[in-house]
Amino acid sequence: MNWLPEAASSIAGRVDNVIWFVTIISLVFFVFITALLVVFAIKYRRRSEDDETPYQVSHHTLEVVWTIIPSILVMVIFVYGFVVFEDLRTPPKDAMEINVTGKQWLWQFHYDNGKSTINELFVPEGRPVKLVMTSDDVLHSFFVPEFRVKQDLVPGMYTYLWFKAIKKGEFNIFCAEYCGTNHSGMLGKVKVLSPADFEKWKTSKEELIAGANLVEAGAELYTKRACIGCHSIDGSPMVGPTFKGIFGRQETLADGQEITVDENYLRKSIYEPQAQVVKGYQPIMPSFKGIISDNEVSALIAYMKSLK
Amino acid sequence: MADGTMVEAVRPTYLDRKGFLSWALTLDHKRLGIMYLVTIMVFFLFAGIMGMLVRLELLTPGKTVMGPDTYNQIFTIHGAVMIFIVIVPGISATFGNFLIPLMIGARDVIFPRLNLFSYWIYVGGALIALVSLLHPIDTGWTFYTPYSIRTGTSVIPITFGVFVMGFSSILTGLNFIVTIHKLRAPGMNWHRMPLFIWAAYSTAVIQVLATPVIAITLLLLIAERVFGIGFFDPAKGGDPILFQHFFWFYSHPVVYIMILPAFGVISEIIPVFSRKPIFGYKAIAYSSIAIALIGFLVWGHHLFVSGMAGWVAKVFSFLTFLVAIPTAIKVWNWLATMYRGSIDLKTPMLYALGFLFLFTIAGLTGLFLGTLAINVHLHDTYFVVAHFHYTMMGGTIMMLFAAMHFWFPKMIGKMYGEAVAKIAFALIFIGFNLTFIPQFIMGMEGMPRRYYDYLPQYHYQHVLSSIGALVLGVGILVMLINLIYCIFKGEKAPSNPFGSKSWEWQTTSPPPTENFEEIPQVTDWTYGYGKKN
């Protein structure tokens, strides 16, 4: 078991130094106190009912020493912690800005060229990135353990977080602030690319559907566009209705209306999810207008049709 | 001190009157102490079962036995009941009631009727809170806005119940403060008071000063839900972070409401079982007051990553480290009390040693969380969960259990069964550590709290933790069965089985209704162990 996750941002190593500093001080005190407890309990155990004990009520030097030493140590820890915190909170001026919106229960990322992704944050290696974050509904918290960064997303205001990824690879994004039913499913990935690959990705027109068959593209979109967070494909009920056998299913809506699920119902449910909610489910799905293209909707519908 | 006042003749004790009404309408602080203890233990078991269900669900990733909504409701009930119904009244309402008049040489608290009223307000508030079980709340015990405004679950009964219980807390606090000021026996000046009294006094001060804030906050939350007034929901023009400030302005001091009485209990137990005077009496007494006051100024350390200004975070981090110092001093004092003592490892002393071990871990892991740079990584992870279970369970609940054994002979007039009690302690101690040490590790590795599902990389620690919870649960059951058995079948207890010099032991076991035949004349403190006259 490793005490710390991999250090994959420029600040992570410095945070780890603080953690190790406090760990060592804590271990010294822990071992010292535990040793005294055990030694005293054995050495001074009651041997007879007439044991003589000294009438010792205080000792000024000792009391001064054991007040001053911890006081100095905690002040050193405080200062060390806040110096690193200062750098953790202050983004460099040349940082690349990416907008982040948290919603129950997905992450949406917007780049300055209009590109947007769900649950996948692509960033270049070695370049500082500043996230400008807000929430659409309740509190969320953006947390990447490997970067040692965390910041709450608050509806109605912007909060900020920055990091510089120093390793290529994929790292988990957790939502750390409780946000309701599917809080633990509000996961994403930071994908750290080389600067060249990042530029290529950023300027590319992502066309999943090109070439691939629609069902396969839909299967990929199911994960990529975060449907997977709320809709199962094995028939088990989650926050939303399962996709298994959804096409052609008879459903009762919240207002009592009976409908048959067809292409138009599915399309409308993706773009205006509150319009026709199936009975027994909360009207909480965010709209994917502007996030999922028409072609992608077609692919998703094809995928749903294949889930019999 | 206190000799020759022991009366072994058969006299009516406070337990003699029978019948429901003799309890329900009693004005006797000792009976009220017992009633609080029984009520609190019932809620403790209920919330404990909720905790076990949480651990059961987390045994495997994904669904083990329940769905995500049920899981969210269960951890909320576990936390809310444990905090607001069990640990906040906790040692203070139970042993505070039972012991304060006995320890200061009084016949009762100064306002016995108010005391009875406080108990029934508490029960009423708890029952109102339980109404929310019909459609259980799923916000977490912290009721953070705007989720708590938008969720469809029943937020209002539980917050209103907590509001009502707040009055019980305030009135009990007032009662204790005035009692300690006005009813001390002749000669018992402030520096002769047992340290449990100092702790109870500091606790009462926080209860009176902090509780109104949570009461107002929860009323605002209710008003927002019922009338749609925008205090906290940004959609209505409110500020969700304001709620966090209000909430923690109460809920941080409240951890000292929970832990200070535990400091009081251990300060009574260690001298008796070490046959040594408490070391550094004034340091312990005044550090309780210092903690009570500085404790009001550290609430912001719950908000380091909430979106609060950076310089505010630094001030709160500084004050948080400041409050660590008086706590550290107490640990040294308890250790020094044992030095060159004659240590008798009876069950209460085992719990005291267990407390010192667990509370040291709680305090040291608190250093991690108070450090700004580290807090960012650890905030809202299992590290925090483990840390506060070490303070609240390893600290307060362990000392509640210690008190339940130590004062058992005084309360019931029977001895508890020593051998079984020690086995129970061992199970609780091992089970507790097995439950929460893996949580420190997975927290450091990034496992967020309040997660119904988790990544496979955390599975191993979750399994260990769930096994630990089972051992802990068995330990608690063994302890309770042993105590309940001994209420009926225990050996008869002498007045002072452990050789304590404190005043509650100088009357009969169980004490008569009026506590003392004659009000004691106090000429010395109660820690004169080993004193040569």
Side-chain angles (χ1 to χ4, degrees), chain B residues 268-307:
Chain B
E268 297 306 313
I269 288 177
I270 290 189
V272 171
F273 292 93
S274 303
R275 294 244 181 100
K276 281 269 309 285
I278 189 81
F279 188 96
Y281 173 93
K282 285 186 185 172
I284 296 180
Y286 295 156
S287 61
S288 290
I289 302 285
I291 289 170
L293 297 179
I294 306 172
F296 272 101
L297 303 174
V298 303
W299 79 89
H301 69 219
H302 298 269
L303 282 77
F304 288 156
V305 301
S306 289

Short mmCIF file of all heavy atoms in Angstrom, two decimals, chain B residues 268-307:
data_model
loop_
_atom_site.label_atom_id
_atom_site.label_comp_id
_atom_site.label_asym_id
_atom_site.label_seq_id
_atom_site.Cartn_x
_atom_site.Cartn_y
_atom_site.Cartn_z
N GLU B 268 -10.60 12.34 35.56
CA GLU B 268 -11.04 11.71 36.80
C GLU B 268 -10.50 10.29 36.92
O GLU B 268 -10.15 9.84 38.01
CB GLU B 268 -12.57 11.66 36.88
CG GLU B 268 -13.25 13.03 36.92
CD GLU B 268 -12.70 13.91 38.02
OE1 GLU B 268 -12.56 13.42 39.17
OE2 GLU B 268 -12.39 15.08 37.74
N ILE B 269 -10.46 9.59 35.79
CA ILE B 269 -10.13 8.16 35.85
C ILE B 269 -8.64 7.92 36.08
O ILE B 269 -8.26 7.10 36.93
CB ILE B 269 -10.61 7.46 34.55
CG1 ILE B 269 -12.13 7.37 34.56
CG2 ILE B 269 -9.98 6.07 34.41
CD1 ILE B 269 -12.74 6.77 33.31
N ILE B 270 -7.79 8.65 35.34
CA ILE B 270 -6.35 8.36 35.44
C ILE B 270 -5.81 8.54 36.87
O ILE B 270 -5.09 7.67 37.36
CB ILE B 270 -5.56 9.17 34.39
CG1 ILE B 270 -5.89 8.59 33.01
CG2 ILE B 270 -4.06 9.12 34.65
CD1 ILE B 270 -5.04 9.13 31.89
N PRO B 271 -6.14 9.63 37.59
CA PRO B 271 -5.61 9.75 38.96
C PRO B 271 -6.04 8.60 39.86
O PRO B 271 -5.23 8.08 40.63
CB PRO B 271 -6.20 11.07 39.44
CG PRO B 271 -6.49 11.86 38.21
CD PRO B 271 -6.89 10.83 37.19
N VAL B 272 -7.32 8.17 39.74
CA VAL B 272 -7.81 7.12 40.64
C VAL B 272 -7.04 5.82 40.40
O VAL B 272 -6.58 5.18 41.34
CB VAL B 272 -9.32 6.89 40.42
CG1 VAL B 272 -9.79 5.66 41.19
CG2 VAL B 272 -10.10 8.12 40.82
N PHE B 273 -6.86 5.46 39.12
CA PHE B 273 -6.24 4.16 38.82
C PHE B 273 -4.72 4.25 38.76
O PHE B 273 -4.06 3.25 38.53
CB PHE B 273 -6.82 3.57 37.53
CG PHE B 273 -8.26 3.18 37.67
CD1 PHE B 273 -9.27 4.06 37.35
CD2 PHE B 273 -8.60 1.94 38.21
CE1 PHE B 273 -10.60 3.72 37.51
CE2 PHE B 273 -9.93 1.59 38.38
CZ PHE B 273 -10.94 2.49 38.03
N SER B 274 -4.17 5.46 38.94
CA SER B 274 -2.71 5.58 39.05
C SER B 274 -2.31 5.95 40.47
O SER B 274 -1.13 6.03 40.78
CB SER B 274 -2.19 6.67 38.09
OG SER B 274 -2.56 6.42 36.77
N ARG B 275 -3.31 6.24 41.31
CA ARG B 275 -3.06 6.69 42.68
C ARG B 275 -2.10 7.87 42.70
O ARG B 275 -1.18 7.95 43.51
CB ARG B 275 -2.47 5.57 43.55
CG ARG B 275 -3.43 4.44 43.77
CD ARG B 275 -3.79 4.33 45.25
NE ARG B 275 -4.70 3.23 45.49
CZ ARG B 275 -4.31 2.05 45.95
NH1 ARG B 275 -3.05 1.83 46.25
NH2 ARG B 275 -5.20 1.10 46.15
N LYS B 276 -2.31 8.76 41.77
CA LYS B 276 -1.46 9.96 41.70
C LYS B 276 -2.37 11.17 41.56
O LYS B 276 -3.40 11.08 40.92
CB LYS B 276 -0.55 9.90 40.45
CG LYS B 276 0.67 9.01 40.56
CD LYS B 276 1.91 9.74 41.07
CE LYS B 276 2.25 11.01 40.35
NZ LYS B 276 2.84 10.78 39.02
N PRO B 277 -1.98 12.31 42.12
CA PRO B 277 -2.76 13.52 41.86
C PRO B 277 -2.67 13.86 40.37
O PRO B 277 -1.67 13.56 39.73
CB PRO B 277 -2.09 14.59 42.71
CG PRO B 277 -0.76 14.05 43.07
CD PRO B 277 -0.82 12.57 43.00
N ILE B 278 -3.72 14.47 39.84
CA ILE B 278 -3.67 14.86 38.44
C ILE B 278 -2.51 15.83 38.29
O ILE B 278 -2.30 16.72 39.12
CB ILE B 278 -5.00 15.49 37.98
CG1 ILE B 278 -5.03 15.69 36.48
CG2 ILE B 278 -5.29 16.81 38.68
CD1 ILE B 278 -5.35 14.46 35.70
N PHE B 279 -1.74 15.62 37.22
CA PHE B 279 -0.56 16.47 37.01
C PHE B 279 -0.98 17.71 36.24
O PHE B 279 -1.68 17.64 35.23
CB PHE B 279 0.48 15.68 36.20
CG PHE B 279 1.80 16.39 36.08
CD1 PHE B 279 2.84 16.11 36.95
CD2 PHE B 279 2.00 17.34 35.09
CE1 PHE B 279 4.06 16.76 36.84
CE2 PHE B 279 3.20 17.99 34.97
CZ PHE B 279 4.24 17.70 35.85
N GLY B 280 -0.58 18.88 36.72
CA GLY B 280 -0.87 20.13 36.00
C GLY B 280 -2.35 20.48 36.02
O GLY B 280 -2.94 20.78 34.99
N TYR B 281 -2.94 20.46 37.21
CA TYR B 281 -4.38 20.72 37.34
C TYR B 281 -4.80 22.01 36.65
O TYR B 281 -5.73 22.04 35.85
CB TYR B 281 -4.72 20.78 38.84
CG TYR B 281 -6.13 21.21 39.15
CD1 TYR B 281 -7.13 20.25 39.32
CD2 TYR B 281 -6.47 22.55 39.30
CE1 TYR B 281 -8.43 20.63 39.61
CE2 TYR B 281 -7.76 22.94 39.59
CZ TYR B 281 -8.74 21.98 39.74
OH TYR B 281 -10.02 22.37 40.03
N LYS B 282 -4.07 23.09 36.96
CA LYS B 282 -4.49 24.37 36.39
C LYS B 282 -4.34 24.40 34.88
O LYS B 282 -5.18 24.97 34.17
CB LYS B 282 -3.69 25.52 37.01
CG LYS B 282 -4.16 25.83 38.41
CD LYS B 282 -3.47 27.07 38.97
CE LYS B 282 -3.89 27.26 40.42
NZ LYS B 282 -3.12 28.31 41.08
N ALA B 283 -3.30 23.75 34.37
CA ALA B 283 -3.10 23.72 32.92
C ALA B 283 -4.29 23.03 32.25
O ALA B 283 -4.81 23.49 31.23
CB ALA B 283 -1.80 22.99 32.57
N ILE B 284 -4.74 21.92 32.86
CA ILE B 284 -5.88 21.20 32.27
C ILE B 284 -7.15 22.04 32.36
O ILE B 284 -7.91 22.17 31.41
CB ILE B 284 -6.07 19.83 32.94
CG1 ILE B 284 -4.85 18.94 32.69
CG2 ILE B 284 -7.33 19.15 32.44
CD1 ILE B 284 -4.95 17.57 33.32
N ALA B 285 -7.36 22.63 33.55
CA ALA B 285 -8.58 23.40 33.76
C ALA B 285 -8.64 24.59 32.80
O ALA B 285 -9.64 24.78 32.10
CB ALA B 285 -8.64 23.89 35.20
N TYR B 286 -7.57 25.37 32.77
CA TYR B 286 -7.61 26.57 31.93
C TYR B 286 -7.55 26.24 30.45
O TYR B 286 -8.09 26.98 29.63
CB TYR B 286 -6.46 27.53 32.31
CG TYR B 286 -6.59 28.07 33.72
CD1 TYR B 286 -5.48 28.54 34.42
CD2 TYR B 286 -7.83 28.13 34.36
CE1 TYR B 286 -5.60 29.04 35.71
CE2 TYR B 286 -7.95 28.62 35.64
CZ TYR B 286 -6.83 29.07 36.31
OH TYR B 286 -6.95 29.55 37.59
N SER B 287 -6.88 25.12 30.10
CA SER B 287 -6.84 24.81 28.67
C SER B 287 -8.23 24.43 28.18
O SER B 287 -8.55 24.65 27.01
CB SER B 287 -5.81 23.73 28.36
OG SER B 287 -6.12 22.54 29.03
N SER B 288 -9.09 23.90 29.07
CA SER B 288 -10.48 23.64 28.66
C SER B 288 -11.16 24.95 28.29
O SER B 288 -11.87 25.04 27.28
CB SER B 288 -11.27 22.98 29.79
OG SER B 288 -10.83 21.66 29.98
N ILE B 289 -10.96 25.95 29.13
CA ILE B 289 -11.58 27.26 28.84
C ILE B 289 -10.98 27.83 27.55
O ILE B 289 -11.71 28.35 26.70
CB ILE B 289 -11.33 28.23 30.01
CG1 ILE B 289 -11.90 27.65 31.31
CG2 ILE B 289 -11.91 29.61 29.71
CD1 ILE B 289 -13.39 27.71 31.44
N ALA B 290 -9.65 27.70 27.41
CA ALA B 290 -9.00 28.22 26.20
C ALA B 290 -9.56 27.55 24.95
O ALA B 290 -9.87 28.21 23.95
CB ALA B 290 -7.48 28.01 26.29
N ILE B 291 -9.72 26.23 25.03
CA ILE B 291 -10.26 25.50 23.88
C ILE B 291 -11.67 25.98 23.58
O ILE B 291 -12.05 26.19 22.43
CB ILE B 291 -10.24 23.97 24.15
CG1 ILE B 291 -8.80 23.47 24.13
CG2 ILE B 291 -11.08 23.23 23.14
CD1 ILE B 291 -8.65 22.04 24.60
N ALA B 292 -12.46 26.18 24.66
CA ALA B 292 -13.84 26.62 24.46
C ALA B 292 -13.87 27.96 23.72
O ALA B 292 -14.70 28.18 22.85
CB ALA B 292 -14.57 26.73 25.79
N LEU B 293 -12.95 28.85 24.05
CA LEU B 293 -12.97 30.18 23.43
C LEU B 293 -12.34 30.17 22.04
O LEU B 293 -12.95 30.63 21.07
CB LEU B 293 -12.25 31.19 24.33
CG LEU B 293 -12.95 31.38 25.69
CD1 LEU B 293 -12.20 32.38 26.56
CD2 LEU B 293 -14.41 31.81 25.52
N ILE B 294 -11.11 29.61 21.91
CA ILE B 294 -10.47 29.61 20.58
C ILE B 294 -11.29 28.76 19.62
O ILE B 294 -11.35 29.04 18.43
CB ILE B 294 -9.02 29.08 20.65
CG1 ILE B 294 -8.21 29.84 21.69
CG2 ILE B 294 -8.33 29.23 19.29
CD1 ILE B 294 -6.84 29.23 21.95
N GLY B 295 -11.96 27.74 20.15
CA GLY B 295 -12.77 26.86 19.32
C GLY B 295 -13.83 27.60 18.51
O GLY B 295 -14.31 27.09 17.50
N PHE B 296 -14.19 28.79 18.97
CA PHE B 296 -15.17 29.58 18.23
C PHE B 296 -14.58 30.22 16.98
O PHE B 296 -15.31 30.75 16.15
CB PHE B 296 -15.73 30.69 19.12
CG PHE B 296 -16.92 30.25 19.91
CD1 PHE B 296 -16.80 29.91 21.25
CD2 PHE B 296 -18.17 30.16 19.32
CE1 PHE B 296 -17.91 29.49 21.98
CE2 PHE B 296 -19.28 29.75 20.03
CZ PHE B 296 -19.15 29.40 21.37
N LEU B 297 -13.25 30.25 16.88
CA LEU B 297 -12.62 31.04 15.84
C LEU B 297 -11.95 30.19 14.76
O LEU B 297 -11.13 30.67 14.00
CB LEU B 297 -11.59 31.97 16.47
CG LEU B 297 -12.16 32.90 17.55
CD1 LEU B 297 -11.05 33.67 18.23
CD2 LEU B 297 -13.19 33.85 16.95
N VAL B 298 -12.31 28.92 14.68
CA VAL B 298 -11.60 28.06 13.73
C VAL B 298 -12.53 27.46 12.68
O VAL B 298 -12.11 26.63 11.89
CB VAL B 298 -10.84 26.92 14.45
CG1 VAL B 298 -9.87 27.49 15.46
CG2 VAL B 298 -11.79 25.96 15.13
N TRP B 299 -13.81 27.88 12.68
CA TRP B 299 -14.78 27.18 11.82
C TRP B 299 -14.39 27.17 10.36
O TRP B 299 -14.73 26.25 9.62
CB TRP B 299 -16.17 27.79 12.01
CG TRP B 299 -16.39 29.08 11.27
CD1 TRP B 299 -16.86 29.17 9.98
CD2 TRP B 299 -16.17 30.41 11.71
NE1 TRP B 299 -16.95 30.49 9.61
CE2 TRP B 299 -16.53 31.27 10.65
CE3 TRP B 299 -15.70 30.98 12.89
CZ2 TRP B 299 -16.43 32.66 10.74
CZ3 TRP B 299 -15.61 32.36 12.99
CH2 TRP B 299 -15.96 33.18 11.92
N GLY B 300 -13.65 28.22 9.93
CA GLY B 300 -13.32 28.33 8.51
C GLY B 300 -12.44 27.21 8.00
O GLY B 300 -12.28 27.05 6.78
N HIS B 301 -11.85 26.39 8.89
CA HIS B 301 -10.98 25.33 8.36
C HIS B 301 -11.78 24.22 7.68
O HIS B 301 -11.19 23.32 7.10
CB HIS B 301 -10.00 24.79 9.42
CG HIS B 301 -10.60 24.02 10.53
ND1 HIS B 301 -10.16 24.11 11.82
CD2 HIS B 301 -11.60 23.13 10.56
CE1 HIS B 301 -10.86 23.30 12.58
NE2 HIS B 301 -11.74 22.70 11.84
N HIS B 302 -13.10 24.30 7.75
CA HIS B 302 -13.92 23.37 6.96
C HIS B 302 -14.15 23.88 5.54
O HIS B 302 -14.77 23.21 4.74
CB HIS B 302 -15.27 23.15 7.64
CG HIS B 302 -15.15 22.53 9.00
ND1 HIS B 302 -15.17 21.18 9.20
CD2 HIS B 302 -14.96 23.08 10.22
CE1 HIS B 302 -15.02 20.92 10.49
NE2 HIS B 302 -14.89 22.05 11.14
N LEU B 303 -13.69 25.12 5.26
CA LEU B 303 -14.05 25.77 4.00
C LEU B 303 -12.84 26.13 3.14
O LEU B 303 -12.95 26.98 2.26
CB LEU B 303 -14.83 27.07 4.31
CG LEU B 303 -16.30 26.95 4.69
CD1 LEU B 303 -16.47 26.50 6.12
CD2 LEU B 303 -17.02 28.26 4.49
N PHE B 304 -11.70 25.48 3.39
CA PHE B 304 -10.49 25.87 2.66
C PHE B 304 -10.66 25.76 1.14
O PHE B 304 -10.07 26.53 0.40
CB PHE B 304 -9.28 25.04 3.10
CG PHE B 304 -8.78 25.39 4.47
CD1 PHE B 304 -8.07 24.46 5.21
CD2 PHE B 304 -8.99 26.64 5.02
CE1 PHE B 304 -7.59 24.77 6.48
CE2 PHE B 304 -8.51 26.96 6.29
CZ PHE B 304 -7.81 26.02 7.01
N VAL B 305 -11.43 24.78 0.67
CA VAL B 305 -11.59 24.66 -0.79
C VAL B 305 -13.01 24.98 -1.23
O VAL B 305 -13.43 24.61 -2.30
CB VAL B 305 -11.18 23.26 -1.31
CG1 VAL B 305 -9.74 22.97 -0.97
CG2 VAL B 305 -12.09 22.19 -0.80
N SER B 306 -13.75 25.70 -0.39
CA SER B 306 -15.15 25.98 -0.71
C SER B 306 -15.33 27.17 -1.64
O SER B 306 -16.41 27.40 -2.14
CB SER B 306 -15.94 26.28 0.56
OG SER B 306 -16.09 25.11 1.29
N GLY B 307 -14.27 27.96 -1.79
CA GLY B 307 -14.41 29.18 -2.57
C GLY B 307 -14.31 30.40 -1.67
O GLY B 307 -14.82 31.47 -1.98
#
